[in-house]
Amino acid sequence: MLEEVLVSGCEPHDPDNAKVDFKFPTGSKVMIDAALRLLSLFNQLDHSMHRVRLHFEEGLDGAMGYLNRMGFFDHLSPRVEVLPGRPDFSGAEIFGGMNAGLVEIARINREVRDNALPSRLTEALISACGDRSDASELEGAAWTIFAELIDNIFSHSQTPLDGYAALQVYSGGDNLKVAVSDSGLGIMETLRPALKQEAPALLRLSDLDLLVEIFRQGISRHGADRGCGLKGSAAKAMKYKAELDVRLPNARVLLKPGTQEYRPDTAFCYEQLPLIWGTHICFTFRLDNGT
C-alpha cells in the first residue's frame, strides 16, 4: 500500500530533506489512484525546491512501463530525475484511446479547461459496466459525478499546480477506479475557517466525522446552497454502491457505502500520514451491481 511505503520513510515535505529518493523495486504494482497521488506529490516536492529522484529497478519492464502507458511522465516536472532514464517516448501518446478500459492521466488546468474530460470518463465507465442492470441510470449519474469533482478543483484548489484525473478497469478484481487529484489547500483547510459562522456546532467534529457530514449534508465554506459538488458526487456514487477513498493532507478516509448513505460506522480513518498537499479522491465502482 502506498501509505505504508510513505510512513516507512522520511517525511517528504520536511524542509530539512533537500533530496527525496523514491524507489520502485522489482515487482512493484501501482494502482491508478496511487499513481495520481504520487504524481501530485512529486510535483509538489519539486515546486517546493526539493530535489526528487525516482529509481525504477525494472525500467520499462516494470512499474515505469505502466506509468508511461498512463501518461505519468508527460505530466511529471522535467526537473524530477528518473533512473535508469526517462522514457524516450510517451506511451499515452502512442496508445491513447486504444483501450476502452482506461482513460490516461488527464491534466486539470485552471487556464486550459478540457470540457470533454467528464464525457471520456463516463464513456469508459459505461463501456466496462454495460452489463449492470442499472447501466443506463449510472451513465447520467457518472457524468455528473465526474463533472462535479473536476469543477471542485477549478473552484477550490487555489494552487498553480495542475490537478489530474484518470480511470482504470481492473477486470480481475471486478471493479473500476476513477481517481481525481489536486495539490490545493484541501477540503478541511478551506472548510473549517467558515464553520465559525456557517455551522459552529460542527467545529468540535473530528476530520473523519466532518468529512462524512460533508458528503451527507453538503456543508460548504460558501454556505448551505453553494459548493456542494462533493456531497452530490458522493450521494450519486453511494446509490451505485461505490466505495469512496479520500486522501487529505495528513489523513486518509475510506468510506464504505451503507444501506442509504455513507456513515461514520462504515468509515475507516488513517491519521498522522506524511503530508501530501490537496485532496485526492478515488471512487471504486463494481463492474456488476455490487450485490
Side-chain angles (χ1 to χ4, degrees):
M1 178 188 292
L2 171 60
E3 303 300 349
E4 294 175 350
V5 173
L6 293 177
V7 168
S8 67
C10 64
E11 170 62 64
H13 275 287
D14 188 333
D16 292 332
N17 295 327
K19 183 175 71 172
V20 178
D21 286 349
F22 200 96
K23 296 184 179 180
F24 294 80
T26 299
S28 295
K29 303 295 183 183
V30 184
M31 304 289 276
I32 191 59
D33 53 327
L36 290 197
R37 293 176 195 187
L38 286 173
L39 177 59
S40 290
L41 174 60
F42 296 151
N43 285 340
Q44 292 168 19
L45 293 172
D46 173 76
H47 180 73
S48 56
M49 305 306 293
H50 290 74
R51 179 185 174 189
V52 184
R53 183 164 56 187
L54 312 182
H55 303 254
F56 292 90
E57 290 188 352
E58 294 179 285
L60 287 171
D61 292 330
M64 176 189 275
Y66 169 73
L67 293 175
N68 187 42
R69 172 65 183 84
M70 293 301 294
F72 183 92
F73 298 101
D74 300 341
H75 302 287
L76 182 68
S77 169
R79 292 181 295 271
V80 174
E81 185 178 359
V82 179
L83 300 175
R86 283 191 180 237
D88 56 10
F89 66 95
S90 168
E93 289 185 3
I94 294 174
F95 302 107
M98 296 177 63
N99 185 342
L102 62 85
V103 174
E104 293 83 356
I105 297 171
R107 182 175 70 141
I108 302 175
N109 182 277
R110 299 177 73 175
E111 296 181 359
V112 184
R113 186 158 187 162
D114 182 358
N115 292 319
L117 180 56
S119 295
R120 294 204 308 274
L121 293 168
T122 301
E123 289 168 4
L125 184 147
I126 296 304
S127 176
C129 297
D131 291 337
R132 289 178 56 136
S133 61
D134 58 0
S136 60
E137 297 176 4
L138 176 59
E139 183 172 7
W143 189 94
T144 303
I145 290 170
F146 304 146
E148 288 176 340
L149 288 175
I150 293 166
D151 186 67
N152 197 67
I153 293 178
F154 280 100
S155 301
H156 308 308
S157 64
Q158 300 181 33
T159 175
L161 297 175
D162 290 334
Y164 305 100
L167 176 150
Q168 174 77 66
V169 172
Y170 297 94
S171 55
D174 195 35
N175 64 57
L176 173 152
K177 292 182 179 291
V178 184
V180 177
S181 174
D182 75 73
S183 296
L185 296 176
I187 297 174
M188 299 307 163
E189 286 69 17
T190 57
L191 176 64
R192 281 196 179 277
L195 290 180
K196 294 180 181 180
Q197 180 176 352
E198 298 293 341
L202 298 176
L203 283 171
R204 60 182 175 78
L205 294 181
S206 67
D207 281 358
L208 167 61
D209 291 336
L210 181 56
L211 184 66
V212 173
E213 290 306 306
I214 290 173
F215 294 128
R216 290 181 62 240
Q217 300 183 29
I219 301 166
S220 167
R221 66 191 179 98
H222 296 296
D225 298 324
R226 297 182 60 197
C228 295
L230 291 175
K231 180 257 185 179
S233 298
K236 292 179 178 65
M238 180 272 299
K239 179 180 178 180
Y240 298 98
K241 304 298 182 182
E243 182 179 286
L244 178 56
D245 187 345
V246 183
R247 186 22 159 113
L248 305 173
N250 290 108
R252 175 175 174 240
V253 180
L254 182 63
L255 294 167
K256 301 280 189 177
T259 304
Q260 296 295 328
E261 60 189 11
Y262 292 112
R263 307 190 313 269
D265 62 350
T266 61
F268 302 88
C269 187
Y270 307 85
E271 300 180 290
Q272 298 182 339
L273 298 176
L275 175 64
I276 303 179
W277 300 341
T279 304
H280 315 270
I281 298 176
C282 179
F283 287 108
T284 301
F285 292 88
R286 293 291 303 272
L287 300 185
D288 59 19
N289 283 342
T291 56

